[in-house]
Amino acid sequence: MNIVVCAKQVIDVSEIKVDPSTKKPVLQGVPLKISDIDKNAVEEAIRIKEKHGGKVTVLTVSSSDAKERVKELLAMGADEAVIVSAPENADYDVVSKLLAAAIKKIGDYDIVLGGEASIDLFSGQMGPRLAGLLGIPQITYARKVDAEKDKVVAERDVGDVVVTMESPYPVLITVTKEINEPRLPSLMLSLIHI
């Protein structure tokens, strides 16, 4: 089972301060981290790999300073990481096209996982955009994923109702924070930069 996990480096919103004179947020000097829900996606990928074997590749579109944060995902149990350089002020369209191109370059994959949204913008757009560019089915807002030999079955949280969906491979799945509790990182492994 080959799994690609899309992870985004974001500012740590819990560290944002407000300038008392302007009442505007001060973003300079705020530390960066991997979006919390993307860590849930990495955890889910590792759990699927532990059950079925295979490989977990973490993919991010960011500046090279993402290396330190991506190392944490490798230390959790991802097998490799790819950082795609992003142009300044890249929007959803640009980032989704860069992710899709990188996934196609990675090649053989069964599942593309990501968080339902990033903690900085929380738009929920990236998963559906990426599935469309890749031409594969998608299951969004998954709170439980059961990867079987020839299909994936997921519980999808759609508000007051939980819907069970299934899909053949390859498939893109976005997960909610409730799907799991990410493990603590252990040791550092390899990083690839393209």
Side-chain angles (χ1 to χ4, degrees):
M1 187 80 53
N2 292 321
I3 306 166
V4 176
V5 183
C6 299
K8 183 180 180 185
Q9 176 179 249
V10 297
I11 60 170
D12 187 345
V13 293
S14 68
E15 298 291 324
I16 294 176
K17 307 265 188 282
V18 176
D19 183 320
S21 61
T22 64
K23 305 291 187 225
K24 292 184 179 180
V26 178
L27 301 178
Q28 188 173 14
V30 176
L32 299 171
K33 68 179 193 173
I34 296 296
S35 183
D36 295 336
I37 308 170
D38 292 340
K39 287 182 185 177
N40 294 98
V42 171
E43 176 64 29
E44 196 61 26
I46 294 165
R47 290 178 184 195
I48 293 169
K49 179 184 86 167
E50 289 171 347
K51 184 176 178 182
H52 296 285
K55 181 170 122 179
V56 174
T57 303
V58 173
L59 173 61
T60 189
V61 172
S62 189
S63 55
S64 61
D65 68 345
K67 286 181 184 178
E68 286 308 308
R69 271 134 316 272
V70 169
K71 284 180 183 178
E72 177 186 358
L73 305 178
L74 293 168
M76 284 174 64
D79 298 296
E80 65 182 24
V82 178
I83 299 173
V84 178
S85 297
E88 235 179 275
N89 300 319
D91 62 9
Y92 288 114
D93 184 57
V94 171
V95 172
S96 62
K97 287 177 179 171
L98 289 170
L99 286 170
I103 291 168
K104 289 175 184 175
K105 187 173 181 178
I106 289 168
D108 184 35
Y109 61 90
D110 300 291
I111 301 173
V112 176
L113 277 170
E116 66 177 305
S118 60
I119 63 169
D120 59 346
L121 300 174
F122 219 84
S123 73
Q125 289 187 40
M126 196 54 64
R129 281 177 179 262
L130 195 50
L133 289 169
L134 295 171
I136 61 174
Q138 62 181 302
I139 300 173
T140 55
Y141 305 105
R143 68 177 203 175
K144 181 179 179 187
V145 174
D146 184 19
E148 299 176 5
K149 184 179 177 183
D150 58 349
K151 67 181 178 182
V152 64
V153 178
E155 288 183 4
R156 185 172 182 251
D157 186 350
V158 289
D160 293 337
V161 179
V162 175
V163 177
T164 300
M165 298 183 70
E166 64 180 56
S167 173
Y169 300 112
V171 61
L172 182 137
I173 303 170
T174 64
V175 301
T176 65
K177 184 115 180 101
E178 295 75 27
I179 195 165
N180 59 42
E181 184 66 38
R183 65 190 69 195
L184 295 174
S186 57
L187 47 106
M188 301 296 175
L189 302 170
S190 65
L191 179 68
I192 301 169
H193 185 79
I194 60 173

